Structure formats: structure tokens, C-alpha cells
Amino acid sequence: MAETVFGLDLPHHDVVHGLLLAAGLREGLSEPLPVDTSPPQPIPDTGPITLTATAVAEPPVE
């Protein structure tokens, strides 16, 4: 799904043997939002930024 929907190129070894994020899907989801086809707008340069990440799940115990 990630390759098809988002155009990602996932390494075969990682898909078969690695840890991947996953999400469950349920039936009865609402209709998808419309796709914005307007041209992208430039992002103004506001100087340096700091990115942070937060773990949302622990890896499975082997």
C-alpha cells in the first residue's frame, strides 16, 4: 500500500525481515477528502527549525 499510494520504494529485505510501522483499517470509513490540485506554494524561509520525533509504540518482544 505504501508503495502504491505514496510512491515509496521500500527495500525488499526491510519489508520481509525488518520492523515496519503498521496501522489497522476498519470498514465504514468516511469518504476521502478531495485532493488539492492547486500548484504548490513556496514555504517562506523563517530560519533554522528543530525537528523532534516521539515513539508511539514499543517494538515487539522477541
Side-chain angles (χ1 to χ4, degrees):
M1 182 175 124
E3 289 180 324
T4 302
V5 174
F6 300 108
L8 300 175
D9 182 21
L10 302 174
H12 179 75
H13 182 270
D14 292 345
V15 172
V16 175
H17 303 288
L19 296 175
L20 300 174
L21 296 177
L25 301 177
R26 61 180 169 83
E27 291 185 32
L29 296 175
S30 60
E31 291 294 318
L33 296 174
V35 175
D36 181 3
T37 58
S38 61
Q41 300 297 313
I43 298 173
D45 183 5
T46 58
I49 61 170
T50 301
L51 300 177
T52 59
T54 303
V56 295
E58 295 197 17
V61 177
E62 293 185 25

Coordinates of all heavy atoms in Angstrom, one line a residue:
M1 N 0.8 -1.2 0.0 CA 0.0 0.0 0.0 C 0.9 1.3 0.0 O 0.6 2.2 -0.7 CB -0.9 0.0 1.2 CG -1.8 1.2 1.3 SD -3.0 1.0 2.6 CE -2.6 2.5 3.5
A2 N 1.9 1.3 0.8 CA 2.8 2.5 0.9 C 3.4 2.7 -0.5 O 3.6 3.9 -0.9 CB 3.9 2.3 2.0
E3 N 3.9 1.7 -1.2 CA 4.5 1.9 -2.5 C 3.5 2.4 -3.5 O 3.7 3.3 -4.2 CB 5.1 0.6 -3.0 CG 6.3 0.2 -2.2 CD 6.9 -1.2 -2.7 OE1 6.2 -2.1 -3.1 OE2 8.1 -1.2 -2.7
T4 N 2.3 1.8 -3.5 CA 1.3 2.2 -4.5 C 0.7 3.6 -4.2 O 0.6 4.4 -5.1 CB 0.1 1.2 -4.5 OG1 0.7 -0.1 -4.8 CG2 -0.9 1.5 -5.5
V5 N 0.3 3.8 -3.0 CA -0.4 5.1 -2.6 C 0.5 6.3 -2.6 O 0.2 7.3 -3.1 CB -1.2 4.9 -1.3 CG1 -1.8 6.2 -0.9 CG2 -2.3 3.9 -1.5
F6 N 1.7 6.1 -1.9 CA 2.6 7.2 -1.7 C 3.8 7.2 -2.6 O 4.6 8.1 -2.5 CB 3.0 7.2 -0.2 CG 1.9 7.3 0.7 CD1 1.5 6.2 1.5 CD2 1.2 8.5 0.9 CE1 0.4 6.3 2.4 CE2 0.1 8.6 1.8 CZ -0.3 7.5 2.5
G7 N 3.9 6.2 -3.5 CA 5.0 6.2 -4.4 C 6.4 5.9 -3.7 O 7.4 6.3 -4.2
L8 N 6.3 5.2 -2.6 CA 7.6 4.9 -1.8 C 8.3 3.7 -2.4 O 7.6 2.8 -3.0 CB 7.2 4.6 -0.4 CG 6.6 5.7 0.4 CD1 6.2 5.3 1.8 CD2 7.5 7.0 0.5
D9 N 9.6 3.6 -2.3 CA 10.3 2.5 -2.7 C 10.9 1.8 -1.5 O 11.8 2.3 -0.9 CB 11.5 2.9 -3.6 CG 12.3 1.8 -4.2 OD1 11.8 0.6 -4.2 OD2 13.4 2.0 -4.6
L10 N 10.3 0.7 -1.0 CA 10.7 0.0 0.2 C 11.6 -1.1 -0.1 O 11.4 -1.9 -1.0 CB 9.5 -0.5 0.9 CG 8.4 0.5 1.3 CD1 7.2 -0.2 1.9 CD2 9.0 1.5 2.3
P11 N 12.8 -1.2 0.5 CA 13.8 -2.2 0.3 C 13.1 -3.6 0.6 O 12.6 -3.7 1.7 CB 14.9 -1.9 1.2 CG 14.8 -0.5 1.5 CD 13.3 -0.2 1.5
H12 N 13.3 -4.6 -0.3 CA 12.7 -5.9 -0.1 C 13.1 -6.5 1.3 O 12.3 -7.0 2.0 CB 13.0 -6.8 -1.2 CG 12.5 -8.2 -1.1 ND1 11.1 -8.5 -1.3 CD2 13.1 -9.4 -0.7 CE1 10.9 -9.8 -1.1 NE2 12.1 -10.3 -0.7
H13 N 14.4 -6.4 1.6 CA 14.9 -7.1 2.8 C 14.2 -6.5 4.0 O 13.8 -7.2 5.0 CB 16.4 -6.9 2.9 CG 17.0 -7.6 4.1 ND1 17.1 -6.9 5.3 CD2 17.4 -8.8 4.4 CE1 17.6 -7.7 6.2 NE2 17.8 -8.9 5.7
D14 N 14.1 -5.1 4.1 CA 13.4 -4.5 5.2 C 12.0 -4.9 5.3 O 11.4 -5.0 6.4 CB 13.5 -3.0 5.1 CG 15.0 -2.5 5.3 OD1 15.8 -3.3 5.7 OD2 15.2 -1.3 4.9
V15 N 11.3 -5.0 4.2 CA 9.9 -5.4 4.2 C 9.7 -6.8 4.8 O 8.8 -7.1 5.6 CB 9.2 -5.3 2.8 CG1 7.8 -5.8 2.8 CG2 9.2 -3.8 2.3
V16 N 10.6 -7.7 4.3 CA 10.5 -9.1 4.7 C 11.0 -9.4 6.1 O 10.4 -10.1 6.9 CB 11.2 -10.0 3.7 CG1 11.2 -11.5 4.2 CG2 10.5 -9.9 2.3
H17 N 12.1 -8.7 6.5 CA 12.8 -9.0 7.8 C 12.8 -7.9 8.8 O 13.2 -8.1 9.9 CB 14.2 -9.5 7.5 CG 14.3 -10.6 6.5 ND1 14.0 -11.9 6.9 CD2 14.7 -10.7 5.2 CE1 14.2 -12.7 5.9 NE2 14.6 -12.0 4.8
G18 N 12.5 -6.7 8.4 CA 12.7 -5.5 9.3 C 11.4 -5.2 10.1 O 10.4 -5.9 9.9
L19 N 11.5 -4.2 10.9 CA 10.4 -3.7 11.7 C 9.8 -2.6 10.9 O 10.4 -1.6 10.4 CB 10.9 -3.2 13.0 CG 11.5 -4.2 14.0 CD1 12.0 -3.5 15.2 CD2 10.4 -5.2 14.4
L20 N 8.5 -2.6 10.7 CA 7.8 -1.6 9.9 C 6.6 -1.1 10.8 O 6.0 -1.8 11.6 CB 7.2 -2.2 8.6 CG 8.2 -2.8 7.6 CD1 7.5 -3.5 6.5 CD2 9.1 -1.7 7.1
L21 N 6.3 0.2 10.5 CA 5.1 0.8 11.2 C 3.9 0.2 10.5 O 3.8 -0.1 9.4 CB 5.1 2.3 11.1 CG 6.3 3.0 11.7 CD1 6.2 4.5 11.4 CD2 6.2 2.8 13.2
A22 N 2.8 0.0 11.3 CA 1.6 -0.5 10.8 C 0.4 0.2 11.3 O 0.5 0.8 12.4 CB 1.5 -2.0 11.1
A23 N -0.7 0.2 10.6 CA -2.0 0.8 11.1 C -3.1 -0.1 10.7 O -3.1 -0.7 9.7 CB -2.2 2.1 10.5
G24 N -4.1 -0.3 11.6 CA -5.3 -1.0 11.3 C -6.3 -0.2 10.5 O -6.4 1.0 10.7
L25 N -7.0 -0.8 9.6 CA -8.1 -0.1 8.9 C -9.4 -0.8 9.3 O -9.5 -2.0 9.6 CB -7.9 -0.3 7.4 CG -6.6 0.3 6.9 CD1 -6.4 0.0 5.4 CD2 -6.4 1.8 7.1
R26 N -10.4 0.0 9.3 CA -11.7 -0.5 9.7 C -12.7 -0.2 8.5 O -12.5 0.7 7.7 CB -12.3 0.1 11.0 CG -12.4 1.6 10.9 CD -13.0 2.1 12.2 NE -12.9 3.6 12.3 CZ -13.8 4.4 11.8 NH1 -14.9 3.9 11.2 NH2 -13.7 5.7 11.8
E27 N -13.8 -1.0 8.5 CA -14.8 -0.8 7.5 C -15.6 0.4 7.8 O -15.7 0.8 9.0 CB -15.7 -2.0 7.4 CG -15.0 -3.3 6.9 CD -16.0 -4.4 6.7 OE1 -17.2 -4.2 6.4 OE2 -15.5 -5.6 6.8
G28 N -16.3 1.0 6.9 CA -17.2 2.1 7.1 C -16.5 3.4 7.3 O -17.0 4.3 7.9
L29 N -15.3 3.6 6.7 CA -14.6 4.9 6.8 C -15.3 5.9 6.0 O -16.0 5.6 5.0 CB -13.1 4.7 6.3 CG -12.2 3.8 7.1 CD1 -10.9 3.6 6.4 CD2 -12.0 4.3 8.5
S30 N -15.2 7.2 6.4 CA -15.8 8.2 5.7 C -15.2 8.4 4.3 O -14.1 7.9 4.1 CB -15.7 9.5 6.5 OG -14.3 9.9 6.7
E31 N -15.8 9.1 3.5 CA -15.3 9.4 2.1 C -14.0 10.1 2.2 O -13.8 11.0 3.1 CB -16.3 10.2 1.3 CG -17.6 9.5 1.0 CD -17.3 8.3 0.0 OE1 -16.5 8.5 -0.9 OE2 -17.9 7.2 0.2
P32 N -13.0 9.8 1.3 CA -11.8 10.6 1.4 C -12.0 12.1 1.1 O -12.9 12.5 0.4 CB -10.9 9.9 0.3 CG -11.9 9.2 -0.6 CD -13.1 8.9 0.2
L33 N -11.1 12.9 1.6 CA -11.1 14.3 1.4 C -10.7 14.6 -0.1 O -10.0 13.8 -0.7 CB -10.1 15.0 2.3 CG -10.5 14.9 3.8 CD1 -9.3 15.5 4.6 CD2 -11.8 15.6 4.1
P34 N -11.2 15.7 -0.6 CA -10.9 16.0 -2.0 C -9.4 16.3 -2.1 O -8.8 16.8 -1.2 CB -11.7 17.2 -2.4 CG -12.2 17.7 -1.1 CD -12.2 16.6 -0.1
V35 N -8.8 16.0 -3.3 CA -7.4 16.2 -3.5 C -7.2 17.6 -4.0 O -7.8 18.1 -4.9 CB -6.8 15.2 -4.6 CG1 -5.4 15.5 -4.9 CG2 -7.0 13.8 -4.1
D36 N -6.2 18.3 -3.3 CA -5.9 19.7 -3.7 C -5.0 19.6 -4.9 O -3.8 19.2 -4.8 CB -5.3 20.4 -2.5 CG -4.9 21.9 -2.8 OD1 -5.2 22.3 -4.0 OD2 -4.3 22.5 -2.0
T37 N -5.4 20.1 -6.0 CA -4.6 20.0 -7.3 C -4.0 21.4 -7.6 O -3.4 21.6 -8.7 CB -5.4 19.5 -8.4 OG1 -6.6 20.4 -8.6 CG2 -5.9 18.1 -8.2
S38 N -4.1 22.4 -6.7 CA -3.5 23.7 -7.0 C -2.0 23.6 -6.9 O -1.5 22.7 -6.2 CB -4.0 24.7 -6.0 OG -3.7 24.3 -4.6
P39 N -1.3 24.4 -7.6 CA 0.2 24.4 -7.6 C 0.7 24.6 -6.2 O 0.1 25.4 -5.4 CB 0.6 25.5 -8.5 CG -0.6 26.0 -9.2 CD -1.8 25.5 -8.4
P40 N 1.8 23.9 -5.9 CA 2.4 24.1 -4.5 C 2.9 25.6 -4.3 O 3.3 26.2 -5.3 CB 3.6 23.1 -4.5 CG 3.8 22.8 -5.9 CD 2.6 23.0 -6.7
Q41 N 2.8 26.0 -3.1 CA 3.2 27.4 -2.8 C 4.6 27.3 -2.1 O 4.8 26.4 -1.3 CB 2.2 28.1 -1.9 CG 0.8 28.2 -2.5 CD 0.9 29.1 -3.8 OE1 1.5 30.1 -3.8 NE2 0.3 28.6 -4.9
P42 N 5.5 28.3 -2.4 CA 6.8 28.2 -1.6 C 6.6 28.4 -0.1 O 5.7 29.1 0.3 CB 7.6 29.4 -2.3 CG 6.6 30.2 -3.0 CD 5.4 29.4 -3.3
I43 N 7.4 27.8 0.6 CA 7.4 27.9 2.1 C 8.4 29.1 2.4 O 9.5 29.0 2.1 CB 7.8 26.7 2.8 CG1 6.8 25.5 2.4 CG2 7.9 26.9 4.3 CD1 7.2 24.2 2.9
P44 N 7.9 30.1 3.2 CA 8.8 31.2 3.5 C 9.9 30.7 4.4 O 9.7 29.9 5.2 CB 7.9 32.2 4.2 CG 6.6 31.5 4.5 CD 6.6 30.3 3.7
D45 N 11.1 31.3 4.2 CA 12.3 31.0 5.0 C 12.2 31.7 6.3 O 12.2 32.9 6.4 CB 13.6 31.4 4.3 CG 14.8 31.0 5.0 OD1 14.7 30.3 6.1 OD2 15.9 31.3 4.6
T46 N 11.9 30.9 7.4 CA 11.8 31.5 8.7 C 13.0 31.3 9.6 O 13.0 31.4 10.8 CB 10.5 31.0 9.4 OG1 10.6 29.6 9.5 CG2 9.3 31.4 8.6
G47 N 14.1 30.8 9.0 CA 15.3 30.5 9.7 C 15.4 29.0 10.1 O 14.6 28.2 9.7
P48 N 16.3 28.7 11.0 CA 16.5 27.2 11.4 C 15.3 26.7 12.1 O 14.6 27.4 12.8 CB 17.7 27.3 12.3 CG 18.4 28.6 12.1 CD 17.3 29.5 11.6
I49 N 15.0 25.4 11.9 CA 14.0 24.8 12.7 C 14.6 23.5 13.4 O 15.6 23.0 13.0 CB 12.8 24.4 11.8 CG1 13.3 23.4 10.7 CG2 12.1 25.6 11.2 CD1 12.1 22.7 9.9
T50 N 13.9 23.1 14.4 CA 14.3 21.9 15.1 C 13.2 20.8 14.9 O 12.0 21.1 15.2 CB 14.5 22.1 16.6 OG1 15.5 23.2 16.7 CG2 14.9 20.9 17.3
L51 N 13.6 19.6 14.5 CA 12.6 18.6 14.3 C 12.8 17.6 15.5 O 13.9 17.3 15.9 CB 12.8 17.8 13.0 CG 12.7 18.6 11.7 CD1 13.0 17.8 10.5 CD2 11.3 19.2 11.6
T52 N 11.7 17.1 16.0 CA 11.7 16.1 17.1 C 10.8 14.9 16.7 O 9.9 15.0 15.9 CB 11.2 16.7 18.4 OG1 9.8 17.1 18.2 CG2 12.0 17.9 18.8
A53 N 11.1 13.8 17.2 CA 10.4 12.6 17.0 C 9.9 12.0 18.3 O 10.6 12.1 19.3 CB 11.2 11.6 16.2
T54 N 8.8 11.4 18.3 CA 8.2 10.7 19.5 C 7.9 9.3 19.2 O 7.2 9.0 18.2 CB 7.0 11.5 20.0 OG1 7.3 12.8 20.2 CG2 6.5 10.9 21.3
A55 N 8.3 8.4 20.0 CA 7.9 7.0 19.8 C 6.5 6.8 20.2 O 6.1 7.2 21.3 CB 8.9 6.0 20.6
V56 N 5.7 6.1 19.4 CA 4.3 5.9 19.7 C 4.0 4.4 20.1 O 2.9 4.1 20.5 CB 3.4 6.3 18.6 CG1 3.5 7.8 18.4 CG2 3.7 5.6 17.3
A57 N 5.0 3.5 19.9 CA 4.8 2.1 20.3 C 6.1 1.5 20.5 O 7.2 1.9 20.0 CB 4.1 1.4 19.2
E58 N 6.2 0.5 21.4 CA 7.4 -0.2 21.6 C 7.5 -1.4 20.6 O 6.5 -2.0 20.3 CB 7.4 -0.7 23.1 CG 7.4 0.4 24.0 CD 7.9 0.0 25.4 OE1 8.4 -1.1 25.5 OE2 7.6 0.8 26.4
P59 N 8.8 -1.7 20.2 CA 8.9 -2.9 19.3 C 8.5 -4.2 20.0 O 8.5 -4.3 21.2 CB 10.4 -2.9 19.0 CG 11.1 -2.0 20.1 CD 10.0 -1.1 20.6
P60 N 8.1 -5.1 19.2 CA 7.7 -6.4 19.8 C 8.8 -7.1 20.5 O 10.0 -7.0 20.2 CB 7.2 -7.2 18.6 CG 7.8 -6.6 17.4 CD 8.1 -5.2 17.8
V61 N 8.5 -7.8 21.6 CA 9.5 -8.5 22.4 C 9.7 -9.9 21.7 O 8.8 -10.6 21.3 CB 9.0 -8.8 23.8 CG1 10.0 -9.6 24.6 CG2 8.7 -7.4 24.5
E62 N 11.0 -10.2 21.4 CA 11.3 -11.4 20.7 C 11.7 -12.5 21.7 O 12.2 -12.3 22.8 CB 12.4 -11.2 19.7 CG 12.0 -10.3 18.6 CD 13.0 -10.1 17.6 OE1 13.9 -11.0 17.4 OE2 13.0 -9.1 16.9

